Amino acid sequence: NYFVHFNRHPGVADAVLEENTFQFLRNLYRKNEPASAPQPGMAMINLARAETPLGEPLMSDSELAVFVSAFQATGFTASINWYRNLDRNWHVLANVNPIIQQPTLMIYGDRDVIPKFEKLTEFVPNSEVVSLECGHWIQQEKPGKTNEVILKWLGQQGS
């Protein structure tokens, strides 16, 4: 997975994202992006360096400014470290049962560039899957429909 690999080398992803904080976040938080083939190898760097964003903004300029300000103040290292810690987490959790038995709702965006997890029901056997016509930012792109799906699902859990 390119995203995990990109983040593994301390300082590399951090520098690219911090050098282009506004562009990266402006280009990341988009909806209704035109369909395109994945770009090999440089997805996050390309996103950070792209001069012209694709699709429509997911939030207002003032809302985006809050995110930009926060990341300019703190950087991206803390959030990137989650990906850098994947191997350690794998070892620490080696003896933990990976099967989630609790009833679970998984909502996917049909146009999300992150693929659906094909083995979801192997690890979450009591899951219900719903797909909405949107991209990665499901709650922001389809807030009413997302709430409707969640409330319906919660209502069925007490039955």
Side-chain angles (χ1 to χ4, degrees):
N1 178 311
Y2 165 75
F3 191 68
V4 172
H5 177 72
F6 173 67
N7 288 310
R8 287 262 170 114
H9 303 287
V12 176
D14 317 52
V16 170
L17 300 180
E18 288 170 16
E19 181 181 302
N20 302 287
T21 301
F22 170 76
Q23 281 180 208
F24 174 68
L25 294 174
R26 177 203 61 197
N27 296 339
L28 179 68
Y29 294 123
R30 309 297 289 184
K31 63 182 180 179
N32 299 324
E33 295 179 47
S36 62
Q39 298 176 343
M42 303 279 285
M44 299 309 285
I45 292 173
N46 290 345
L47 197 59
R49 294 185 174 154
E51 296 287 333
T52 305
L54 301 176
E56 304 164 31
L58 196 61
M59 59 185 80
S60 70
D61 289 345
S62 61
E63 291 168 325
L64 180 61
V66 173
F67 286 85
V68 171
S69 176
F71 278 104
Q72 285 175 334
T74 63
F76 290 87
T77 301
S79 49
I80 293 171
N81 280 344
W82 185 87
Y83 294 95
R84 292 184 180 135
N85 203 44
L86 285 176
D87 290 337
R88 182 176 179 273
N89 287 346
W90 184 263
H91 293 292
V92 168
L93 298 172
N95 296 320
V96 173
N97 181 358
I99 308 302
I100 298 170
Q101 297 295 342
Q102 290 74 16
T104 306
L105 173 64
M106 178 64 193
I107 304 174
Y108 285 110
D110 285 337
R111 294 189 314 267
D112 194 341
V113 295
I114 309 297
K116 294 179 180 178
F117 183 48
E118 294 179 14
K119 297 182 179 184
L120 178 67
T121 56
E122 291 179 33
F123 292 95
V124 192
N126 297 314
S127 61
E128 180 179 335
V129 176
V130 174
S131 293
L132 299 181
E133 183 62 31
C134 61
H136 184 72
W137 310 107
I138 297 165
Q139 302 92 322
Q140 291 81 12
E141 293 181 51
K142 299 286 186 181
K145 188 64 177 170
T146 302
N147 287 337
E148 178 184 317
V149 168
I150 292 170
L151 291 171
K152 178 182 176 191
W153 183 82
L154 288 171
Q156 295 169 343
Q157 300 313 300
S159 320

